[in-house]
Each structure stands twice: as structure tokens, then as C-alpha cells.
Amino acid sequence: MGKNISVAFDQYIADDIAKYAGVAMPVKAGFLNRVLVKKAPCTILHPNPDDEFSIPTVGPSYRIISEYEKKYIYNSNHSMDYFDGEDPIMVEKIRPDGYMILNGHHRWAAALKLGYAKIPVQVINVTHNQEIKDIINNSKHDKRVTLDLDEVVFYNPNNGPAEKDLPFPFNKLYKDKLRLGIPALFNMLNKDGYDIWLYSSKFYSKEYLRALFKKYHVHVTGIVTGTSKRKQSEEEKNEMQNLYASKYLFTLHIDNDAVLMIDNVRKDFQDFTIDEGVNWSKSVMDIIKEIDA
């Protein structure tokens, strides 16, 4: 890729970011928007100023963009409207117009440079700090549990069996499987007055996840996705940490092999090892019962 082309695209990114600086704000996408919008014009997708892609000293990677360009030309038979076989760009609806890219900047850049009219997208709603604050302030509970969605909650063959598949047609709508025992564990936590918070470095639709857990008859308090992409100032981080500490007496972080109890009053913690000799969820339940005793 020539230097002049790279410089021109860098300027395009800079101009777009400057245009929306202090103006753009995220808005919730309605049901029809999330369901019906499967492709969007490349020109109404905007680079995320907080992503490494948009930081001149880090990205974009023109090697990666070039690789995607070659792939799209080969896969699409030179069609300029759409390309097949690629995951959609994860985007969030914004005001005053268009969508902010959450994940897939290099794919978008390749399609834009090739002159594609539209690109596949998935419109999702992201949990922002203000929503997290509202959830915490409105909660009646004083203790919480945190889990990693991908590493602990979702089925992984390395972590044991999965829950039985949902009945048709829900098994076609919800592709993600839960780890065996997760619904029973969450049901116990719901009854015992815990707020359940799930975290993931990936981007998921909150509506999709809440509907998935509802099919298993359990409630999840908060869902925070895209954690690896979230950019927060030290002031914002401290504010959120203080909010958690003032709301919850303690936090239980459940991992694959241990439960970490963080006492927000005493400012200390205890580590409980999960018994490998019994079912994972039963061992976790036994630990929680011991803590609550």
C-alpha cells in the first residue's frame, strides 16, 4: 500500500474523529434496529476514538488492512455491494447519526478502501458507566458475585459438560451453551440475595444474553461486555470502585478453580479452592454456604 494512500486514510480517520468529538453520544438501538439492520453503508460507520486503531502512535495496521482487502476481493468475486463468509462489524448506534465501531475496524477499513457500498454489521447496546451506576443504586442487595462470561459461565469442553440444549426453536436462536450447573448456581445466588455481574472482553448484545439466561429461569443483575476495549480515566475507575465498595459488603469472584472473597469493609480477602473431586457447581455452592453461615 502506497505511503500517500496511507496518509490520506489516516487523515480520513482524523477528520471523522474530529467531526464527532464532543458531539457523538451513544443511544439505545430499538428492537427493530437491532433485528433488521444487517448491513450498513461503510460511510456511516465511524472509527472509535478510544480504540487503538484510531490512535496514530498505535494503529491502524495497513498490513492487516491489506490482508483483508485481498481476502474480500477473492471471496466476493469483485461484488461491490456485499461480501460473504465474514463476521459482522460490531457497532453501537450514536447521535447525531450512524454507528460507532466497537470491533472490526480493520475489516471496515478494507471494505471502505475497496469501495464497498455496505458492510455486514451487528447493532448492539453496550452497558455504560451511568447504566452500571443506576443498576447498583437501584439494587436492594449488599453482596455480589462476579464471573467471566467466556472463561467460566459459557460451556468449554476443558471445564466439563454443558447444560442440556434448549428445546427447538430456541436452540437455533441461542448458539451459546451454558456450563453444567450454572443455572442451579445462579438460582441459588438469586435466592440468597446476591447481585450477579458478568464480564466479557468480547462484545455481546445485552438483550441476547438476558434472553438466554431467562430461558434457563435465572436473573442476571449486570452484564458488562467489551472490557478489553473500555477506556476509563483514573478518576472514573476510582469512582466505580468506590461505588462498588459502598454498596456491597463483599464481592465473591468465582473462577474455574477458586472463589475469591473480597471484604469491602475490612479491606482484605480470602481464597477458597474449588474441590476438583466433586461437581464444579456443587463445590462452589458449598463454599458460598460456608461463607454465608
Side-chain angles (χ1 to χ4, degrees):
M1 182 178 295
K3 181 178 180 181
N4 291 337
I5 296 177
S6 300
V7 171
F9 192 69
D10 284 347
Q11 190 61 52
Y12 176 90
I13 296 172
D15 289 345
D16 192 88
I17 291 175
K19 177 182 178 182
Y20 288 88
V23 177
M25 62 172 285
V27 294
K28 285 188 178 296
F31 175 75
L32 291 179
N33 191 187
R34 288 183 281 108
V35 171
L36 298 180
V37 176
K38 298 301 182 183
K39 294 185 287 182
C42 291
T43 52
I44 69 167
L45 269 59
H46 307 294
N48 192 327
D50 292 330
D51 195 277
E52 291 182 349
F53 175 94
S54 304
I55 302 174
T57 56
V58 182
S61 168
Y62 286 100
R63 177 187 61 80
I64 297 176
I65 293 174
S66 178
E67 290 175 355
Y68 276 121
E69 286 184 89
K70 295 174 183 177
K71 179 179 180 180
Y72 294 163
I73 291 173
Y74 175 78
N75 287 347
S76 65
N77 294 321
H78 303 283
S79 167
M80 299 304 289
D81 294 319
Y82 183 71
F83 53 86
D84 297 316
E86 187 58 65
D87 292 332
I89 308 297
M90 307 297 286
V91 299
E92 179 181 33
K93 188 176 182 180
I94 63 169
R95 293 182 65 89
D97 61 72
Y99 301 93
M100 184 73 72
I101 300 172
L102 299 173
N103 191 45
H105 280 83
H106 289 92
R107 285 174 278 154
W108 162 75
L112 186 67
K113 290 175 68 60
L114 286 172
Y116 280 103
K118 294 185 177 182
I119 191 170
V121 297
Q122 181 177 353
V123 183
I124 66 172
N125 291 323
V126 177
T127 306
H128 293 279
N129 277 1
Q130 186 56 54
E131 186 176 353
I132 295 174
K133 293 177 185 178
D134 292 340
I135 293 173
I136 295 174
N137 289 330
N138 292 327
S139 173
K140 298 179 181 179
H141 301 145
D142 61 2
K143 50 189 179 180
R144 71 168 180 154
V145 164
T146 62
L147 305 96
D148 185 287
L149 184 66
D150 300 291
E151 298 296 327
V152 179
V153 177
F154 280 163
Y155 165 67
N156 182 326
N158 295 324
N159 295 335
E163 283 286 324
K164 182 179 178 181
D165 286 348
L166 293 170
F168 181 84
F170 301 119
N171 60 334
K172 302 299 181 182
L173 297 174
Y174 303 99
K175 300 298 185 181
D176 297 285
K177 294 185 178 182
L178 299 186
R179 180 184 199 155
L180 181 65
I182 284 293
L185 173 61
F186 282 15
N187 180 61
M188 170 191 164
L189 292 169
N190 287 155
K191 289 182 177 179
D192 289 353
Y194 281 88
D195 280 350
I196 301 174
W197 286 84
L198 304 181
Y199 295 83
S200 174
S201 60
K202 301 178 182 179
F203 284 103
Y204 292 93
S205 163
K206 293 183 300 180
E207 292 78 11
Y208 166 83
L209 291 176
R210 289 196 181 282
L212 170 64
F213 286 107
K214 189 175 181 179
K215 291 292 180 273
Y216 287 95
H217 308 286
V218 291
H219 170 73
V220 174
T221 309
I223 299 171
V224 183
T225 62
T227 55
S228 62
K229 298 283 187 178
R230 288 176 178 266
K231 304 295 181 183
Q232 292 183 314
S233 66
E234 286 301 317
E235 182 179 356
E236 290 174 321
K237 290 179 182 178
N238 291 333
E239 181 185 14
M240 296 305 296
Q241 289 174 356
N242 291 334
L243 181 60
Y244 285 126
S246 63
K247 178 67 177 182
Y248 300 110
L249 295 176
F250 62 86
T251 296
L252 299 182
H253 179 68
I254 302 176
D255 212 333
N256 286 319
D257 51 16
V259 176
L260 180 66
M261 176 186 175
I262 305 169
D263 191 316
N264 293 320
V265 177
R266 298 177 181 177
K267 305 298 182 183
D268 62 10
F269 66 89
Q270 289 180 271
D271 197 351
F272 300 84
T273 301
I274 294 174
D275 188 352
E276 296 182 357
V278 299
N279 179 279
W280 176 85
S281 57
K282 181 181 185 306
S283 181
V284 173
M285 290 180 188
D286 290 342
I287 291 171
I288 295 174
K289 291 175 182 176
E290 178 185 345
I291 292 172
D292 286 340

